[in-house]
Amino acid sequence: VAFKVSGNALGAEAAALAPLLGSSRTLVAFKMRRAGAGPAEIGALGDALAGNRFASLSVIDLSDNAVGDAAFRLAAGLRSLRAGLLAELKLVRCGVGPEGMEMVLLAAGTQKNLLELRLGGNTLGGRGSQALGTLLPQAPSLTALDLAGTALEPAAAFGPAAASVDPFSARPEPRALQKLAELDLSGIGWSLPLLDGVEACGPKLAALSLAGGGDFAMLNSAAADRPAFLQRLVAVAAARPGMELDLSTADPAAVLLPELLPALRSSRLLPPSLALRGDGQLGDDGLVALVGVLADLDAEAKESGTPRLHSLTLSSAVPPPAAAVSTWGLDDLNALALLDQLATDPAGVSAVVSRWQLALPAGTERAVAQRAASVRSLMRLVTTADGLAALKCGGGYRSLEPDGTCPAADGRSSTRQRAAPSYGVQLESLFRFALPKSSSLTLLDVSGNNLGDVGLSALGGALKLNRSLRRLEIDNNAAGVDGLKSINLALKGNKKVHSLALPDDDISALLAAAAARYKRSLSDELAARQLLKSAYGRGGYCNHAVKQRGMAALKSAKQEQARARVAKDKLRTVCASLQASVLRNGEVATITAAGKNMRAESKLASEASKSAAKAQGKADALREANKEKVWLGRHKLLDAWVKHAGVLGKRGHDVGWFGEWRRAWGKPYLNPAALAAVQKRMPAAQREEWEALVLGAEDTFASEETLDARVQGLLQEARMHRSQAEFHAAEVQYHGMLSEKDPRAEAPPRLEAGIVRTEPPGKERPGQFGSGYYTNWDARRNWIYGELRTAMAQPPPRDYAWKGAAAELVPAAPAASAPMVSYPKPELPRAEAAVAKAVAKAAAVPEVSMGTPVYTATAVEEDAATAKSAAAFATAAEPLPYPAMLVKGSVYEASAAGRVASRATSGPPPAVSPTFELPAAPAAPAAPAAQQAQQAQQVQQAQLQ
């Protein structure tokens, strides 16, 4: 059982959860992140956990709560857990000091199966660091360690084993960090002992964060250790091609690059995955220098066979552009010439601006040239580094304010947006000239760069030629309908990009602007109608000039209102089409990888079956061993009671009641029922004499529960592996079905755009106020005024707001319990048609012609055997997001039928079975000729319908 209350402001009420921790034997996960709990509430939880001898907690998450001094009481609760039970301990930003962290880490020292330990935001200091050094060798399975901003002392945590803070424990060597996959040391000053800990990690380390520690404050002031530190760090990164190295730091251009670039050149090694995130402080000059060195080293690595550059993250690395030069209106030759001249001659940029007649603001020429050099260096890297798979050049531009409002709705841009670090529209040269030539880039992140429609149009043009990209991120780029339409048109022919989240912030901003435009048009319409009313006086007098101005204003307001509605509808239509293309691409990717996935699932199913058999065998062997141990102990218990009765008899006590109970019991052992019976017969005057034996028997029975818990754990493990084997076997069937489909025949699904059809405010029904001469003009005018004022006071229609693609874009014909990919097309192969017919016959439902199979979410009518098999299949073999019901014509129906038939003929099915072979159905008796003619006529009529 898992209990999750994260994000709820419980406050003092969190103490009410103490009885849960103090009594539950089945609770395995307790997550109470950001619950507003204080030291008193956390202490109450720790006390309750300490009093629960049978606690089964494996996951504890109390992050973002004010633990403080209550860490001592929490440590007492952790000590009470059985050794090896705890798997995840998360206490991020809990305000715990060195003494508290010491106690928590020492309490967790017995948990040899610890997988995740996240302590970021607390204070370790010297004592906590020594306790961490004691814990690490005792947790060989640790995969994630978060020590960000903990004031860690690396020499105490990662250095040679010194005197332990626990005099009864010794730290074995070497450190056991071989399975570590994630290590976060952000905010920890760089030092050589810190690097010792990094080097002790095994080859599985995939993410290493040293962000925020690159000021070399802990290295020698003479800078003698800096080159050695960086060269060793680069060597560690080069030895782990799958590890991302995050060296983000404040002012990297002045602090990090002067030391890092010489270290890269001298070592001639390349970190395969490098991240430098910042607040625009790397700058264009620093980016050009860094990317240039990386490109040179990648070219050398290609010749020497050493690891090459695989991933580069330069998010928010450059300041916002002071001005931008777009080459979108130039042909390729002139665009490249302009870019090269700006990038190669920053000193003579004024001449270049004059030659090309660029209208740049005064004082921005050099900034434009520097940005052109940055883009040019990225173009060189993308075209030459043919091993580069991921490029993340995100920026800090946001289309929405932090409170969700859109400043662009009224034509303004906030100071925060103008000052956000971003690459700007000049990045369109990268899309135009480098991206089509790349054959290795699979991930491109250009979100937050204020590209506009020009940049996204260039990206759409690149997607028409590039066939390597799989994932794309484009949100927060001030996108318009034209830019999104360019991406959509590109994906009509590009079936490779299968991961593209809709730019929700940009869409929200556009809809907010359309909503503001709509609201203004209502105000303008009301003012125009009031102006028209003022043009008429008594006695039929009409001021025609005022009337003409009013009519023109009314026409303009109505047109503006229509433009707002059209813009909103057009945007939603484009978004639905774009999302449908992405879904189609995801379907194509699934079909293309079906064969590979089927082999992988078959291997997993085989491994799960072997693991289940192994766990079952261990459980059986352990149960037999426990049986002998338990019954031997119970015999000894009764012998002890008999001896004690003899001793008491010699002392003159009346123990006749014991002899009577023993004759009535008649068995040579003692069990819990017998203990309860003998306690009932025991005289009150002798209870003190027998108390020690009673307590000993209770302890023995409690220890038997511990033995049985181990057996039950193995049995549960076997059941879990069997469920996994069944699930992977069903996946084999699923991917086998997909492998027979033609990816070229996949079409985008039809999605509802979420457009709400409403009548404009003030549009009356025909004859509502009379007609012709009998029209009540005053009532009509007042009603229109009232409708406009009501519409102005209320929010615009709901389709002017965007809730995200998941909530807005739904299938046009929704089907309940849809699987991860859509069901197969009506054209089924012959084997699947036979399986579906067998299912229909076994379930006693009318047979359906396989020319038009049923794909609606209608449950199959089942007999007892089929229902039992379907329930087991749905619960054990199909965790979410798979459907919980069987659907006619789907692979799940075929799988269930195959399982029923296989069990009926040959017992349990094998763990992996690519196809289910069903026994041949008995031939149906021949029908009379008249009946055959009637059936043929019914089939013909059904086909015509």
Side-chain angles (χ1 to χ4, degrees):
V1 178
F3 186 79
K4 304 177 184 179
V5 289
S6 298
N8 294 283
L10 299 179
E13 296 179 358
L17 301 176
L20 174 66
L21 294 181
S23 60
S24 176
R25 298 188 179 191
T26 59
L27 185 66
V28 296
F30 183 78
K31 297 184 179 182
M32 198 179 73
R33 190 184 186 102
R34 293 190 308 275
E41 292 76 28
I42 300 297
L45 297 178
D47 295 342
L49 185 60
N52 189 352
R53 295 173 51 194
F54 304 101
S56 302
L57 273 181
S58 295
V59 177
I60 299 177
D61 187 359
L62 299 175
S63 301
D64 297 305
N65 291 295
V67 176
D69 295 336
F72 296 93
R73 299 163 68 183
L74 179 62
L78 294 177
R79 282 187 181 275
S80 68
L81 296 176
R82 295 196 303 272
L85 181 63
L86 190 64
E88 297 180 14
L89 178 59
K90 301 177 182 179
L91 298 173
V92 181
R93 293 179 295 276
C94 289
V96 183
E99 294 79 9
M101 293 307 304
E102 176 189 12
M103 298 304 298
V104 169
L105 290 171
L106 290 179
T110 60
Q111 305 298 332
K112 62 180 181 179
N113 295 324
L114 195 63
L115 298 178
E116 290 190 27
L117 181 61
R118 302 188 182 276
L119 307 173
N122 301 293
T123 304
L124 286 175
R127 301 183 62 174
S129 300
Q130 289 183 359
L132 179 64
T134 304
L135 168 69
L136 292 180
Q138 300 171 7
S141 301
L142 195 64
T143 60
L145 180 60
D146 179 8
L147 302 173
T150 55
L152 175 73
E153 294 186 6
F158 303 123
S164 175
V165 293
D166 187 351
F168 300 102
S169 66
R171 290 187 285 172
E173 293 292 342
R175 300 285 181 223
L177 297 173
Q178 294 303 305
K179 294 185 179 181
L180 200 64
E182 177 186 350
L183 179 58
D184 190 352
L185 298 172
S186 304
I188 308 298
W190 292 357
S191 62
L192 295 178
L194 183 70
L195 196 54
D196 294 337
V198 174
E199 289 179 334
C201 298
K204 295 183 179 180
L205 189 61
L208 172 61
S209 177
L210 298 176
D215 54 358
F216 300 100
M218 297 183 67
L219 296 177
N220 292 341
S221 58
D225 291 340
R226 299 180 185 179
F229 175 86
L230 291 173
Q231 289 178 6
R232 286 176 58 189
L233 180 61
V234 171
V236 169
R240 295 171 173 82
M243 184 189 76
E244 181 185 36
L245 177 61
D246 188 354
L247 298 180
S248 305
T249 185
D251 198 7
V255 176
L256 179 61
L257 289 189
E259 305 286 348
L260 178 62
L261 297 184
L264 290 173
R265 294 192 184 97
S266 60
S267 65
R268 318 309 299 175
L269 293 175
L270 187 66
S273 183
L274 181 63
L276 272 178
R277 302 176 180 89
D279 194 16
Q281 297 181 353
L282 180 62
D284 291 293
D285 294 338
L287 187 143
V288 170
L290 175 63
V291 173
V293 171
L294 294 178
D296 294 339
L297 292 177
D298 185 80
E300 295 180 7
K302 183 178 181 180
E303 298 177 358
S304 61
T306 56
R308 304 183 61 187
L309 187 63
H310 177 74
S311 174
L312 180 61
T313 301
L314 296 173
S315 299
S316 300
V318 294
V325 173
S326 174
T327 61
W328 185 246
L330 301 176
D331 59 85
D332 292 352
L333 186 61
N334 287 323
L336 278 175
L338 174 58
L339 185 65
D340 289 338
Q341 292 179 20
L342 289 173
T344 56
D345 190 13
V349 65
S350 298
V352 176
V353 170
S354 176
R355 186 182 312 120
W356 289 87
Q357 298 181 0
L358 301 177
L360 296 178
T364 61
E365 293 85 357
R366 182 168 181 80
V368 170
Q370 291 174 333
R371 185 55 49 86
S374 297
V375 175
R376 194 70 176 87
S377 63
L378 291 175
M379 290 171 56
R380 178 199 171 196
L381 181 67
V382 170
T383 53
T384 58
D386 51 9
L388 184 64
L391 179 61
K392 301 178 182 179
C393 296
Y397 178 86
R398 295 293 177 266
S399 298
L400 298 177
E401 294 290 348
D403 59 357
T405 60
C406 175
D410 54 1
R412 298 180 293 106
S413 60
S414 67
T415 304
R416 181 184 65 86
Q417 288 177 321
R418 292 193 298 269
S422 60
Y423 287 86
V425 72
Q426 285 186 247
L427 207 59
E428 54 97 7
S429 298
L430 174 69
F431 307 147
R432 185 175 178 183
F433 302 113
L435 194 57
K437 300 178 181 178
S438 174
S439 59
S440 62
L441 199 63
T442 59
L443 168 62
L444 179 62
D445 179 7
V446 292
S447 59
N449 278 307
N450 195 14
L451 296 175
D453 285 340
V454 171
L456 291 181
S457 297
L459 179 58
L463 291 178
K464 294 179 180 179
L465 303 175
N466 181 278
R467 289 298 181 268
S468 64
L469 275 179
R470 300 294 184 269
R471 298 172 56 193
L472 191 61
E473 298 182 18
I474 60 172
D475 202 2
N476 289 300
N477 274 306
V481 176
D482 293 337
L484 295 177
K485 186 184 294 185
S486 299
I487 301 292
N488 181 37
L489 291 176
L491 293 187
K492 295 294 185 183
N494 187 333
K495 297 184 179 181
K496 300 296 184 180
V497 179
H498 58 77
S499 177
L500 172 60
L502 285 182
D504 290 335
D505 287 354
D506 288 339
I507 297 172
S508 298
L510 290 174
L511 289 178
R517 190 176 183 181
Y518 172 77
K519 298 285 282 187
R520 285 196 302 268
S521 69
L522 297 179
S523 177
D524 294 343
E525 181 181 354
L526 180 60
R529 290 186 179 277
Q530 291 174 345
L531 182 61
L532 274 174
K533 174 64 174 63
S534 66
Y536 292 91
R538 293 181 179 273
Y541 172 77
C542 176
N543 190 332
H544 292 280
V546 175
K547 177 182 177 181
Q548 290 178 358
R549 289 200 307 270
M551 290 298 295
L554 180 60
K555 181 179 179 181
S556 176
K558 284 291 189 181
Q559 289 177 344
E560 190 71 8
Q561 191 177 130
R563 292 190 189 100
R565 287 197 301 268
V566 169
K568 175 256 301 180
D569 296 348
K570 187 177 181 181
L571 175 63
R572 283 185 165 274
T573 303
V574 170
C575 291
S577 178
L578 178 58
Q579 182 72 0
S581 298
V582 173
L583 292 176
R584 186 272 316 273
N585 290 359
E587 190 85 4
V588 170
T590 305
I591 295 173
T592 305
K596 179 180 178 181
N597 292 337
M598 185 170 60
R599 292 188 293 271
E601 293 292 341
S602 177
K603 182 178 179 181
L604 291 175
S606 177
E607 293 175 354
S609 298
K610 293 179 181 178
S611 300
K614 184 177 180 180
Q616 185 69 44
K618 286 183 178 180
D620 295 340
L622 184 59
R623 173 173 285 171
E624 293 300 322
N626 288 344
K627 281 182 182 179
E628 182 179 356
K629 185 184 299 184
V630 165
W631 291 112
L632 181 61
R634 292 185 175 185
H635 280 78
K636 290 182 178 180
L637 280 178
L638 187 58
D639 292 343
W641 279 65
V642 172
K643 290 180 181 180
H644 189 67
V647 172
L648 292 180
K650 292 179 181 179
R651 293 178 182 175
H653 293 279
D654 182 13
V655 293
W657 63 270
F658 183 76
E660 294 176 0
W661 169 83
R662 187 179 176 190
R663 286 190 295 272
W665 174 240
K667 298 177 183 178
Y669 57 85
L670 187 69
N671 63 10
L675 178 62
V678 75
Q679 283 181 295
K680 288 182 179 180
R681 293 201 179 196
M682 186 182 300
Q686 297 184 16
R687 290 188 181 277
E688 186 175 355
E689 299 291 341
W690 294 89
E691 183 179 2
L693 290 178
V694 171
L695 294 177
E698 291 177 350
D699 290 341
T700 300
F701 297 147
S703 64
E704 292 176 2
E705 292 184 6
T706 305
L707 295 176
D708 187 66
R710 174 61 178 160
V711 174
Q712 293 300 326
L714 289 171
L715 292 176
Q716 176 63 26
E717 182 180 353
R719 287 192 294 269
M720 179 188 68
H721 286 305
R722 279 195 293 270
S723 298
Q724 290 178 350
E726 293 182 3
F727 171 74
H728 292 305
E731 286 288 277
V732 171
Q733 296 292 320
Y734 181 65
H735 291 294
M737 176 268 295
L738 288 178
S739 63
E740 297 182 0
K741 299 176 69 175
D742 184 7
R744 295 172 297 181
E746 288 300 312
R750 195 170 68 88
L751 301 179
E752 293 290 349
I755 299 174
V756 178
R757 301 298 180 185
T758 58
E759 293 290 343
K763 184 177 181 180
E764 74 276 12
R765 300 187 304 273
Q768 180 177 355
F769 301 100
S771 59
Y773 179 80
Y774 299 100
T775 302
N776 190 341
W777 297 104
D778 291 336
R780 178 179 180 274
R781 181 179 63 254
N782 294 332
W783 180 81
I784 293 176
Y785 285 179
E787 288 289 308
L788 291 174
R789 291 191 178 99
T790 301
M792 292 166 56
Q794 294 178 349
R798 63 178 184 272
D799 56 345
Y800 279 96
W802 184 256
K803 299 178 182 179
E808 297 284 350
L809 304 178
V810 297
S817 302
M820 286 191 295
V821 298
S822 61
Y823 291 121
K825 299 288 183 182
E827 295 79 9
L828 296 179
R830 184 178 304 172
E832 292 188 16
V835 169
K837 288 184 178 180
V839 172
K841 185 167 185 176
V845 296
E847 219 172 272
V848 180
S849 172
M850 292 313 298
T852 57
V854 180
Y855 292 104
T856 58
T858 305
V860 178
E861 298 178 5
E862 306 149 337
D863 55 12
T866 309
K868 183 177 180 181
S869 174
F873 183 84
T875 56
E878 287 190 357
L880 293 175
Y882 286 92
M885 65 171 60
L886 300 182
V887 182
K888 290 186 179 180
S890 70
V891 66
Y892 305 106
E893 179 185 348
S895 301
R899 288 163 56 85
V900 172
S902 178
R903 287 177 179 174
T905 54
S906 59
V912 181
S913 177
T915 57
F916 291 108
E917 297 182 0
L918 298 180
Q931 185 177 357
Q932 292 181 358
Q934 184 179 2
Q935 291 179 353
Q937 184 177 3
Q938 291 177 355
V939 170
Q940 185 176 6
Q941 291 178 356
Q943 292 178 350
L944 290 175
Q945 291 177 357

